[in-house]
Amino acid sequence: MSVLPDLLRRRHAAADGLYRDLVVLLDEQQLSARLPGVRSSPVRTHFWCVVGARESYVRAARAGGWQGFASSLADDHDPAAVRAALERTGTLVAEWLGGLADDDESGIEWALHLLEHEAQHHGQLIRYLYGVPLPIPRSWVEQYALDEA
């Protein structure tokens, strides 16, 4: 395995693990929660977008260009469906990254875009952890030095 793609795969696995640690703590009501007092989307929309970005960025990398955004997460109200979609797309991304070569500049660029997208949603979800509030997984506390109080 090539060094850079392996590093990208490991970094994506870490980002994916954070999502999985969070979603296992959420019920249907929490997935539908919005930030109080400000315009916001439901928590579940973040997972719908993460799943769609994973699928869309892998498709773009394999096709050599953007093919449009689509998310297969149809039932984002169901915690089990969200968990399954994150697991499935985490595997999809890991397999794709595992096949990248060090000199695949386009593929590496798509992988970096995907990691940026994942990190952006982590940051957005941190606001929900505090603002809704939602349960804060230990992995999020450790990764982002979050205040548990």
Side-chain angles (χ1 to χ4, degrees):
M1 181 170 293
S2 299
V3 174
L4 184 55
D6 185 50
L7 177 60
L8 292 169
R9 185 190 53 74
R10 284 184 283 138
R11 291 306 309 144
H12 186 268
D16 181 50
L18 291 170
Y19 287 123
R20 291 184 195 205
D21 291 348
L22 175 57
V23 77
V24 74
L25 300 176
L26 303 180
D27 59 26
E28 188 173 332
Q29 182 178 354
Q30 290 165 321
L31 282 174
S32 295
R34 294 173 184 262
L35 289 170
V38 296
R39 194 172 113 189
S40 66
S41 58
V43 171
R44 67 177 182 269
T45 304
H46 292 278
F47 296 114
W48 174 88
C49 188
V50 166
V51 167
R54 290 173 175 185
E55 294 165 336
S56 300
Y57 284 42
V58 170
R59 189 171 52 254
R62 289 179 172 157
W66 189 246
Q67 305 297 300
F69 184 92
S71 179
S72 67
L73 182 53
D75 189 5
D76 60 3
H77 290 80
D78 178 15
V82 174
R83 286 191 297 272
L86 287 170
E87 184 174 331
R88 180 180 45 75
T89 58
T91 299
L92 169 76
V93 171
E95 289 172 354
W96 164 62
L97 291 173
L100 282 181
D102 276 330
D103 63 351
D104 183 352
E105 185 176 337
S106 176
I108 290 169
E109 187 169 351
W110 283 111
L112 290 171
H113 281 299
L114 179 59
L115 282 172
E116 290 169 355
H117 183 264
E118 301 254 333
Q120 177 185 15
H121 278 287
H122 284 171
Q124 291 171 332
L125 284 166
I126 288 169
R127 296 309 319 144
Y128 286 77
L129 295 176
Y130 290 130
V132 170
L134 297 173
I136 303 175
R138 168 72 25 210
S139 59
W140 287 67
V141 170
E142 292 169 0
Q143 175 67 33
Y144 292 115
L146 300 182
D147 182 1
E148 297 175 81

